[in-house]
Amino acid sequence: MEAKKALVRKNFDGSAEFARTVITNIVYFVSGVLVSKGAMLGNLSPFGASFAAAVPKKYLLSALAGTGLGYILLTPSDSFRYIAVVVAIGGIRWLTSDIKRVKNSALFAPLVAFFPILATGIVLTFVSTSTLSSLTDCIIEAVLAGTAAYFFSSTVRLSTERRSIAAFSQQETASLVLTGCVLMLSFGSVAIEGISVGRILAVLVTLLCARYGGVAGGSVCGIATGAIFSIASRNQGFICGGYAFGGLMAGLFSTVGKFACVIAFMISDAVMCLAFSDRVALAEVLIESFTASVIFMILPKEVGNFIAPVFSHEKNASLGETLRKNVVMRLDFASKAINNVKNDVNGVSDRLKRLYSPTLDMVCDNVRKNVCSGCGLKVYCHDKQEGVTYDDFRRLEERLEQQGRVSENDIEEVFVKKCCKKREIADSMNSNYREYISCLEAQRRVDDVRSVVAGQFSGIGDILSDLSDEFKSAMKCDTEAAERVISALSAVGIIPMECICLVTSGGRMNVELSISPKSKRFSKGQLMREISKCCGRRFDLPLITKEGGSIMAKFCEMPVYDVEIGTEQHIANRGKLCGDCLNYFNDGTGNTYAIVCDGMGTGGRAAVDGNMATSIMTRLLKSGLTPESSLQIVNSALMVKSEDESLSTVDVAKIDLYSGRVTLNKAGAPLTYIKKNGRVIAKEMPSLPAGILNNIKFSTDTVNLTTGDMVVMVSDGVLSGNEKWLENLIRTWNKGSTQELAQAVVAEAIKHRNDGHDDDITVLAVKLTDNE
């Protein structure tokens, strides 16, 4: 049955991949046709050649076929020239496909488009049937072809990256805008009585960018569309000024509302048209602007959720920067101060210990004070021969340490002179020795508690340091997105108490949401969809935790990778409680954690230790702490939970779903097996378990994985004798799921155990997959 499911899943994945490839080829073919139709300076059409020079190699044939068809639809005299250019570009791309340094250069696509256009243009400049009227037109066409190829190649590269458009830089955003303008130019020739469909689209896009992107959005889009459409015809230069001025004014009035944007754009565009054109052109401009404005007014406001983040870079770049730096500085100083408190406490305690710690000499001093001081014969032994008496008590101390108590006979044998109060000395000696032992035990317990408290100071300092590092990596806070989230969730009955949208140094956004428990019931999917719409980014399902009556939801952008996880356990001696404990979860910031803890021994006591370590580690990691800081808390909790010795191994694997980087953290844990590119690597990292000593540290290692690679974590019950069988099993495991692999490892571990001792066995297998 499982084999049948695996076959169905494999066939489905293959069909989906084939369909995706077919659709992508169709997109490149249609884009080639459209781009080839974009004309400049009348009838020159270099953009199809630019597109052919920029597309990825595996879609080159589809792009060449599309651009070729688009050029065939041109006038016959020009079709031959552009088809020849496309063929030449295809040949150059094929010849240089194996030269990585050449094809990966940013100048490759512009040069491949520039030279064929320039060469054929120079040849045909003197042919009367060509639309090229001068050498100047030839050079302008070649330069525009190279420039468009650069923007096309940038857009193609950005389309392959799994980043939200809101995370793009201003240069990357400009490349996207100009590519869109070239596509709109393809519709420029589609006109009814002089009314151009392409220019209507340009006005509509400019109004949208101005309304939801403010001055920056209106200006960038107005300048880009105006520049592209002004070169479409020699007598339409006024369009550049009209669209640029109109976009700027519409952006200035964007806060007033849609209607204000429309009026500002139409008036500005009409003024520029009157200044540089005639009344016929004014009528066409007004009709095009009016048509675009009507469409703009009826579009839903949700459209703006995908546009506003694109142009919010400058406005939010320094938002709260002073506060962020202040928080970072104060957390950093607080972290150092608490670490110094730990050092001060330890220093003062050591000095007091040297001054006031009980000693065995104090036992004898108390005996002399309590017994000898009231004796009438002390003048003959204690006063006249103090050194002899002191030596007598020193020998008595040695016997007391050896036996734990002394008797009258011991005093008779040890003392040089006869003593008339042997019984009183023996009783006092035993009584004071018991108090001495009690003081030593109390001091040891105080030392243990002080050590744990000092460790807690160190742990708190590490926590504050982690928070400081986290704030340092947060580049900006998008308050506009947070306001949209609060408004949208409130509208559907979900009551946000607080919302924070942080953009990291990598350009990704993390959203942290505190939700009132009085909110209506909601699902993770509903939250994800609302947050994605409001922020204009694609988010993963959230991590939702509940602490102290509050609900916390953490979102991260959709990662590059996903994980397939399988687990299996075997309880020793067919018991009911397993000394091993495991857990795995996403932390809401694009990381998956896998945890395996093994308590000392087997049975209930080991189960308590293992579950306690796993539970505390999980809770702290979900709250945002690092594994290193969390380990200190786990260690202290195990040390103080009872008088009996408690310890547990801690094995944590952190998987970054954006980069595939895996960080292994081990405290007394056994081997972890990494399967990378078909090879198996056993990671052995010696370290101490938690619960023995204060201030223990993880043994840490990292490895970079990709799709199909695996991490297999095991407890020490799997490893007995030669583990080559385990490496062979993991290396040859290619078809089954991770759950089946975990089950197979447990079954084989039981078979290979030959020491007659049954032990708890835990296996946790993680496989990286592409995130669809």
Side-chain angles (χ1 to χ4, degrees), residues 692-703:
I692 298 179
L693 299 175
N694 197 27
N695 291 326
I696 67 168
K697 299 292 183 182
F698 271 130
S699 179
T700 304
D701 198 1
T702 59
V703 60

Side-chain angles (χ1 to χ4, degrees), residues 103-116:
K103 69 178 184 178
N104 292 335
S105 173
L107 295 177
F108 176 70
L111 293 177
V112 169
F114 176 82
F115 284 110

